[in-house]
């Protein structure tokens, strides 16, 4: 069964690269350009995995994590933080993620990690 992934990333180039790689790996991919759009898309349909940037406009990735942790509808969703802000891993909200990767990330590593996390669910 195809898995659904939501990619929340404000950098257009990176968002496109992530989307293309996961689409070629047979995932259903949706994208969000900021935290507010991410929350909106999560309320429409809960994906199997969320790939989340921290430093996004309007609503930060940390605020998205706070929204997620307070809602049991997201308990089964895997959450992977992909950020250039290595200090964000020390934020309390980061504890709600299943994995934390610092940019620049290896696309192959991101796909492998995603496959591992999704095979556990």
């Amino acid at each position: 069964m195809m898995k659904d992934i939501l990619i929340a990333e404000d950098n257009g180039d990176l968002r496109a690269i992530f989307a293309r790689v996961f689409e070629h790996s047979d995932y259903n991919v949706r994208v969000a350009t900021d935290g507010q759009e991410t929350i909106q898309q999560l309320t429409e349909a809960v994906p199997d995995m969320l790939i989340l940037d921290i430093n996004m406009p309007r609503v930060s990735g940390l605020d998205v994590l706070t929204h997620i942790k307070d809602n049991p509808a997201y308990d089964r969703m895997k959450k992977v933080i992909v950020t250039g802000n290595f200090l964000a891993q020390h934020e309390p909200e980061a504890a709600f993620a299943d994995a934390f990767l610092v940019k620049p990330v290896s696309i192959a590593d991101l796909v492998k990690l995603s496959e591992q996390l999704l095979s556990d669910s």
Side-chain angles (χ1 to χ4, degrees):
M1 186 165 85
M2 271 187 130
K3 299 286 188 176
D4 297 319
I5 292 183
L6 175 58
I7 299 168
E9 169 64 58
D10 63 323
N11 179 301
D13 292 339
L14 200 51
R15 189 173 57 245
I17 291 167
F18 287 174
R20 194 171 308 119
V21 167
F22 280 102
E23 286 166 351
H24 286 315
S25 299
D26 288 330
Y27 290 90
N28 290 318
V29 176
R30 292 183 298 143
V31 297
T33 60
D34 62 45
Q36 185 173 326
E37 187 179 336
T38 303
I39 291 171
Q40 178 184 343
Q41 289 206 33
L42 288 172
T43 60
E44 293 169 6
V46 178
D48 298 295
M49 175 173 286
L50 171 63
I51 296 175
L52 180 65
D53 186 18
I54 293 297
N55 297 324
M56 291 190 293
R58 298 203 292 176
V59 175
S60 77
L62 294 175
D63 290 334
V64 171
L65 286 169
T66 299
H67 170 79
I68 289 168
K69 81 167 179 65
D70 293 333
N71 188 333
Y74 305 119
D75 286 352
R76 296 180 54 100
M77 178 180 70
K78 300 298 182 184
K79 299 158 287 292
V80 177
I81 296 172
V82 179
T83 182
N85 180 358
F86 71 94
L87 293 176
Q89 63 191 326
H90 302 296
E91 295 292 337
E93 296 88 349
F96 304 117
D98 297 289
F100 190 99
L101 300 174
V102 178
K103 296 174 188 173
V105 299
S106 156
I107 301 298
D109 289 348
L110 177 61
V111 171
K112 183 178 178 183
L113 173 66
S114 300
E115 289 170 351
Q116 289 171 342
L117 287 171
L118 291 171
S119 70
D120 294 342
S121 58

